[in-house]
């Protein structure tokens, strides 16, 4: 990435790169951002990729479809932004197979949001390809460039005095007085374009002495003023033609002449502008510098701007480019115009269909501004606010809601406005006072849209669960009580209806009373496998929490894996990381820590590529269950601090339950008891179920039998209501821990039998451990060795080092030396490499692996070379023959 102020030489360096690469058999493609293009979805990306689309048929079908829809070449569901990114990455890689490819992007600060996000994604994943990508960006403050943050950067600084003088001598051929020369050098401050253009833009009288510029202006603004003075000296027709060119960012020469003809401009009018070095017209219309375009456009009078945009609208094909025609038409309007507003509204629909949420929001906002009828204007402002919120521009959405609120709106629109305001507040603050806002919206919606009202009540409950004990104002109990007033559910009820009714019961009448309804909701969701509907997708995350609460390990695993599968199939890299994080956390508890690490590595790679913050849950659980105390404590502190600041009590509870597992593994039972107690007291949806067994074990080992008994009583009652083998196995294990004498053995045996049938194998291994510990203390050394040997083997194979060491200590106390884990060749692989190796070992091709992991095939091949080298093998067949962990 090239960075620097306007005029510092970024474009010159890009041209140097183009000229240097061409003789070296590089193919060179380019794109240039334009300030007036920012609301045309994928416009900048299309510039770059259009010449390459002949190779698109080599892409996997989902990527071909995503690219086709994004570029408006085919109809279809709006693609995930990052699936388009993967398609572009693979398109560039395909073209680069024929020879190295150089991609140049100038003025990236003015790219439309969709193009910028996709190019930043490509930039972070291009390292294994025969592709060079150079992006020129103006300094922050002159455009939105946050998508490119963190990329390798070359900053262009101003010239030193010696170089500045040399450039002026070589580039300025007008005679200058010494005083003028010194003044130009001082005012230009080493900016190359300023050194060349300030003398050209100054009136002749000032070149002879007394050259002066206002000291308050920045260097780019001074250059812009110079360009304005130069254009102002042209004939009127030439100035108007310059304005037509400035108003059309496409650089389409034919369009320029069609619009010029409508304005009665003779083609010869271009000659003075070209002679002045401001413009060049050949196959494309090019300005001397982007500052020329902005200087000409900003200097124009409003009537001239409207005339020019009107001519461009009339000259633009309404079939091939309806959106640009609508935009020009809108710019030509004085006051309001329903036809122009309706055209923009249709453009917004097309932008949304192509995945351009930000572009759709911009079109709708402009449509609202042009709408003459107050009711229609309020309706469009409300639609624009929804689009802005969907695009992540929540502050702008709030401003549009204020416009919509001036109305008139009907009752349902008023209710939807109230709901959107609450949803925006939840997005911005995540916290604590949001459930009350959502409940207020739900009550308003109840008589108007019962279905939406019930969903809003559930959203309020979800927000209250999220805030948990950190809620301010409306808490979980109040939200649950209010949910009982929701409209009656339809017949038959949907999963969302059963979730609402079951959760309202959970927090008003207790765990046991809620179980039948919540289990029905999970059963319907599980039965929906072959016909997943949007409603189901939206509430999968909450359903996973319900499954965790009920100790339904099978439902939790199936639903969480379904979320990953759906995200992969849709190419939804915006939602896939959270789904991967959830499954990775579950795999920790199934004892598959190596696979959990692979998915956590995949999640980290995707969030790094998309510029999103990494998710901490799986990393914390991996560190804790591995017994890595320093890393766990560091992750725990960061996670709790951030969650507390955001008012996310549920996240704090998860961190505390996980910390309890760490300390139980290390034998720090007092610390484990302190960590497990708050989640159990807060009794949130899911994490109290995770913390209760830890609390029983910690209290029993820490000499707190009363606290262990109280926790056991709650655990036993809930497990009996749940009825799953996992719940009943945990209850039997906990009962054994709190029972003295021979009677404990029956409970240990029941726990082993029940937990053998469950996915969460870590608790089976830990049950063998505590059973063995009890047998040793009962003096049954031989029986103890059998249980401890099993526990040590299982825990060692899982990678749960602290619990394995606890088993090893007990084994040594029986007089047996525990076996050491044999080093495996795959130990040298990173989690990401092991993930790729596992997929390739199933017979998947590099292209298939690449599609699943959102990489390019060449990147997969690069990883495979490292894998083969580390494992000392040379073929995929040998990889398949290895026993991967």
């Amino acid at each position: 990435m090239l960075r620097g102020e306007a005029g510092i030489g970024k474009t010159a360096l890009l041209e140097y790169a183009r000229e240097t690469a061409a003789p070296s058999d590089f193919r060179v493609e380019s794109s240039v951002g334009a300030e007036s293009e920012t609301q045309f979805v994928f416009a900048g990306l299309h510039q770059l990729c259009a010449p390459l689309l002949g190779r698109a048929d080599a892409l996997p079908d989902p990527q071909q479809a995503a690219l086709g829809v994004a570029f408006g070449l085919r109809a279809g569901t709006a693609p995930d932004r990052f699936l388009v990114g993967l398609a572009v990455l693979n398109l560039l890689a395909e073209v680069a197979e024929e020879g190295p490819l150089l991609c140049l992007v100038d003025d990236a600060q003015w790219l439309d949001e969709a193009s910028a996000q996709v190019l930043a994604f490509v930039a972070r994943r291009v390292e294994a390809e025969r592709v060079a990508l150079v992006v020129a960006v103006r300094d922050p403050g002159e455009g939105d460039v946050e998508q490119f943050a963190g990329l390798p950067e070359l900053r262009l600084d101003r010239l030193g005095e010696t170089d500045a003088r040399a450039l002026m001598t070589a580039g300025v051929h007008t005679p200058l007085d010494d005083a003028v020369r010194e003044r130009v050098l001082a005012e230009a401050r080493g900016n190359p374009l300023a050194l060349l253009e300030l003398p050209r833009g100054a009136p002749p009288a000032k070149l002879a002495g007394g050259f002066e510029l206002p000291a308050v202006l920045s260097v780019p603004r001074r250059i812009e003023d110079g360009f304005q003075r130069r254009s102002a000296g042209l004939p009127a027709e030439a100035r108007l033609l310059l304005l037509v060119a400035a108003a059309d960012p496409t650089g389409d020469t034919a369009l320029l002449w069609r619009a010029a003809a409508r304005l009665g401009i003779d083609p010869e009018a271009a000659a003075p502008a070209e002679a002045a070095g401001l413009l060049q017209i050949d196959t494309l219309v090019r300005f001397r510098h982007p500052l020329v375009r902005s200087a000409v456009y900003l200097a124009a009078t409003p009537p001239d701007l409207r005339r020019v945009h009107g001519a461009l609208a009339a000259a633009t094909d309404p079939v091939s480019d309806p959106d640009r025609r609508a935009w020009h038409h809108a710019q030509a309007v004085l006051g309001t115009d329903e036809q122009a507003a309706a055209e923009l509204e249709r453009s917004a629909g097309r932008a949304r269909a192509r995945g351009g949420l930000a572009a759709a929001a911009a079109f709708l906002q402009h449509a609202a501004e042009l709408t003459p009828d107050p009711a229609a204007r309020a309706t469009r402002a409300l639609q624009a606010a929804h689009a802005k919120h969907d695009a992540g521009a929540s502050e702008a959405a709030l401003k549009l809601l204020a416009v919509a609120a001036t109305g008139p709106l009907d009752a349902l629109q008023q209710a939807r406005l109230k709901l959107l305001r609450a949803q925006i507040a939840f997005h911005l603050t995540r916290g604590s006072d949001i459930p009350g806002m959502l409940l207020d919206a739900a009550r308003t919606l109840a008589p108007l849209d019962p279905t939406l009202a019930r969903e809003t009540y559930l959203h309020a409950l979800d927000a209250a669960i999220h805030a948990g004990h950190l809620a301010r104002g409306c808490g979980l109990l109040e939200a649950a009580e209010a949910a009982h007033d929701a409209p009656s559910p339809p017949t038959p009820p949907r999963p969302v209806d059963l979730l609402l009714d079951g959760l309202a019961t959970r927090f008003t009448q207790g765990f046991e009373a809620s179980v039948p309804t919540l289990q029905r909701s999970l059963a319907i969701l599980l039965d929906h496998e072959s016909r997943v509907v949007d409603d189901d997708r939206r509430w999968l995350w909450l359903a996973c929490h319900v499954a965790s609460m009920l100790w339904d390990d099978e439902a939790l695993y199936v639903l969480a894996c379904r979320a990953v599968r759906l995200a992969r199939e849709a190419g939804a890299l915006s939602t896939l990381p959270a789904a991967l994080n959830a499954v990775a956390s579950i795999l920790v508890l199934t004892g598959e820590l190596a696979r959990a690490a692979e998915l956590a590595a995949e999640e980290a790679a995707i969030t790094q590529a998309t510029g999103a913050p990494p998710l901490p849950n799986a990393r914390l659980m991996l560190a804790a269950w591995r017994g890595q105390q320093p890393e766990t404590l560091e992750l725990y502190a960061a996670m709790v601090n951030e969650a507390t600041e955001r008012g996310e009590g549920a996240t704090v509870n998860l961190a505390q339950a996980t910390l309890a597992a760490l300390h139980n593994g290390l034998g720090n039972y007092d610390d484990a008891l302190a960590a497990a107690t708050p989640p159990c007291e807060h009794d949130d949806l899911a994490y109290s179920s995770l913390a209760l067994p830890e609390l029983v074990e910690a209290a029993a080992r820490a000499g707190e039998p009363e606290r262990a008994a109280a926790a056991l009583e709650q655990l036993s009652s809930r497990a009996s209501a749940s009825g799953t083998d996992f719940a009943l196995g945990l209850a039997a294990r906990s009962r054994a821990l709190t029972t003295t004498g021979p009677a404990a053995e029956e409970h240990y045996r029941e726990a082993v039998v029940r937990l053998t049938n469950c996915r969460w194998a870590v608790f089976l291994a830990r049950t063998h451990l505590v059973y063995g510990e009890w047998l040793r203390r009962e003096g049954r050394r031989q029986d103890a060795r059998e249980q401890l040997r099993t526990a040590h083997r299982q825990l060692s194979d899982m990678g749960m080092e602290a619990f394995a060491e606890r088993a090893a200590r007990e084994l040594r106390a029986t007089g047996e030396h525990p076996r050491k884990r044999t080093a495996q060749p795959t130990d040298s692989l990173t989690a990401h490499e092991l993930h790729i190796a596992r997929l390739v070992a199933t017979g998947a091709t590099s292209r298939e692996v690449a599609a699943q992991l959102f990489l390019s095939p060449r990147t997969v091949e690069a990883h495979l070379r490292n894998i083969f080298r580390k494992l000392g093998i040379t073929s995929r067949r040998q990889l398949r023959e290895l026993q991967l962990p």
Side-chain angles (χ1 to χ4, degrees), residues 271-286:
E274 290 184 303
L278 297 174
L279 187 74
Q280 178 184 349
I281 302 176
D282 42 47
T283 56
L284 286 175
V285 181
R286 294 184 179 88

Side-chain angles (χ1 to χ4, degrees), residues 581-817:
N581 188 61
V583 173
S585 300
I586 292 167
L587 290 175
V588 172
L589 299 177
T590 64
E592 300 169 271
L593 273 67
R595 284 190 60 209
E598 293 165 25
L599 294 190
E602 183 184 353
E603 174 267 314
I606 292 172
T607 53
Q608 189 273 335
T610 59
L615 300 170
N617 306 32
R619 289 183 295 137
L620 176 68
M621 291 188 70
L622 275 165
W625 285 80
R626 283 170 170 163
Q628 298 167 337
Q629 186 169 8
E631 183 181 350
T632 302
L633 294 179
E634 182 180 345
L635 289 167
Y636 171 85
M639 188 167 163
V640 168
N641 287 339
E642 291 173 12
T644 301
E645 286 179 10
R646 294 193 301 266
E648 297 175 359
T651 303
V652 175
N653 287 337
L654 169 62
Q656 290 170 327
T658 305
L659 188 65
L662 168 77
H663 286 306
N664 272 333
L666 294 170
N668 303 330
Y669 298 115
D670 289 332
D671 292 333
L673 182 58
T677 298
C680 296
E681 291 177 344
H682 298 145
D683 196 20
D684 73 352
L685 180 61
Y687 303 128
S688 57
S689 293
L690 194 60
L692 269 173
E694 304 294 346
L695 177 57
V696 173
E697 181 171 345
R701 291 289 193 254
E704 297 273 3
E706 292 181 358
R707 295 179 66 180
L712 171 63
E713 182 179 358
Q714 186 178 53
L715 173 57
S716 297
S717 174
R718 294 181 173 187
S720 177
S722 170
T724 67
D725 272 333
F726 181 45
L728 296 171
L730 288 177
R733 175 183 185 274
S734 299
R735 197 173 302 111
L737 283 164
T738 57
T739 303
T740 58
E745 185 158 19
E746 178 185 346
H747 302 310
Y748 279 123
R749 289 185 178 278
E750 179 189 351
V752 168
V753 170
R754 288 190 179 278
L755 293 174
T756 298
N757 299 323
C758 300
R759 283 189 178 273
W760 289 21
V762 295
F763 290 99
L764 174 62
R766 286 177 60 180
T767 299
H768 285 296
L769 170 59
V770 292
Y771 186 15
E773 289 173 336
W774 177 81
L775 287 168
R776 188 180 73 79
R777 283 158 181 74
E778 290 291 307
R780 296 164 58 183
R781 182 172 297 190
Q782 193 60 40
D783 292 336
R785 285 176 180 167
E786 181 182 344
Q787 295 297 326
L788 293 170
R789 205 179 292 130
T790 300
H792 183 261
R793 184 187 71 255
Q794 291 178 350
L795 293 166
S796 296
D797 290 346
M798 291 174 185
M800 296 174 56
E801 295 165 13
F803 282 105
E805 178 53 32
R806 191 171 130 188
R809 286 195 302 270
E810 290 289 326
L811 268 175
R812 285 191 288 269
T814 69
E816 180 174 318
H817 292 287

Side-chain angles (χ1 to χ4, degrees), residues 145-181:
V145 294
E146 65 179 24
Q147 294 97 334
F148 297 101
L151 293 178
E153 182 177 304
L154 173 63
R155 178 164 191 82
L156 304 186
D157 294 320
R158 295 175 177 180
L159 299 178
E161 183 177 351
T162 302
D163 288 333
R165 289 182 183 278
L167 179 61
M168 275 197 71
T169 301
V172 178
H173 304 299
T174 307
L176 299 176
D177 288 354
D178 288 344
V180 174
R181 182 182 299 276

Side-chain angles (χ1 to χ4, degrees), residues 236-323:
E237 265 203 344
R239 291 199 306 273
L240 192 58
L241 184 65
L242 266 180
L243 183 56
V244 176
D248 171 46
T250 65
D252 184 337
T253 304
L255 177 61
L256 173 73
W257 292 127
R258 289 198 303 272
R262 288 181 175 275
L263 294 168
I265 299 173
D266 191 283
E268 291 303 316
E274 290 184 303
L278 297 174
L279 187 74
Q280 178 184 349
I281 302 176
D282 42 47
T283 56
L284 286 175
V285 181
R286 294 184 179 88
F287 281 94
R288 162 81 172 84
H289 189 274
L291 287 175
V292 179
R293 180 193 296 276
S294 58
V296 169
Y297 196 85
L298 292 173
T301 65
D304 280 346
L305 286 172
R306 290 194 293 273
R307 282 180 64 207
V308 162
H309 280 294
L312 284 165
T316 300
D317 187 340
V319 175
S320 64
D321 204 351
D323 298 336

Side-chain angles (χ1 to χ4, degrees), residues 301-517:
T301 65
D304 280 346
L305 286 172
R306 290 194 293 273
R307 282 180 64 207
V308 162
H309 280 294
L312 284 165
T316 300
D317 187 340
V319 175
S320 64
D321 204 351
D323 298 336
R324 203 173 301 279
R325 185 179 189 279
W327 182 77
H328 281 304
H329 185 185
Q331 301 300 317
V333 169
L334 176 62
T336 59
D337 185 312
E338 175 56 30
Q339 181 185 350
E343 288 177 358
L344 288 173
E345 189 172 14
R346 287 191 288 273
S347 291
R350 286 188 290 268
R352 182 182 286 276
R354 292 165 59 189
L357 293 176
F363 280 128
L364 282 169
Q365 181 175 0
H366 200 175
E369 293 164 355
L370 294 182
T371 303
D373 178 66
R377 181 169 58 249
T379 296
R380 284 176 175 147
L382 183 58
Q383 292 172 343
H386 274 285
K388 286 284 187 185
H389 176 54
D390 290 344
S394 297
E395 298 287 357
L398 285 175
K399 293 178 182 177
L400 283 162
L401 282 182
V403 174
T406 62
L409 296 172
D410 62 29
L412 180 56
Q413 289 174 319
Q414 289 280 6
R416 286 181 176 273
L417 185 148
K418 190 178 291 187
L419 172 59
L420 181 57
R421 183 171 283 129
Q423 290 170 334
I424 292 170
F426 180 70
H427 176 75
L428 290 175
T429 67
R430 272 297 180 208
S432 39
D433 55 342
I434 308 305
M437 296 177 66
L438 288 165
L439 286 176
D440 190 28
R443 293 187 188 101
T444 306
L445 282 164
L448 304 167
D449 187 337
T451 298
L452 183 57
R454 287 186 64 81
E455 291 175 5
T456 305
Y457 273 113
L458 185 56
H459 192 179
L461 256 177
D462 190 23
I465 290 167
H466 205 72
H469 63 282
L470 297 180
R472 296 191 302 269
C474 173
L476 191 46
L477 178 59
E478 185 179 343
E481 289 173 340
H484 283 299
D485 297 329
S488 299
T491 304
R494 303 164 299 159
V496 63
D497 298 307
L498 294 169
L499 285 170
L500 174 62
D501 294 342
L503 290 173
T505 301
R506 164 71 174 83
F507 294 107
T508 55
Q509 299 175 38
F511 183 106
E512 292 80 357
S514 71
V515 169
T517 304

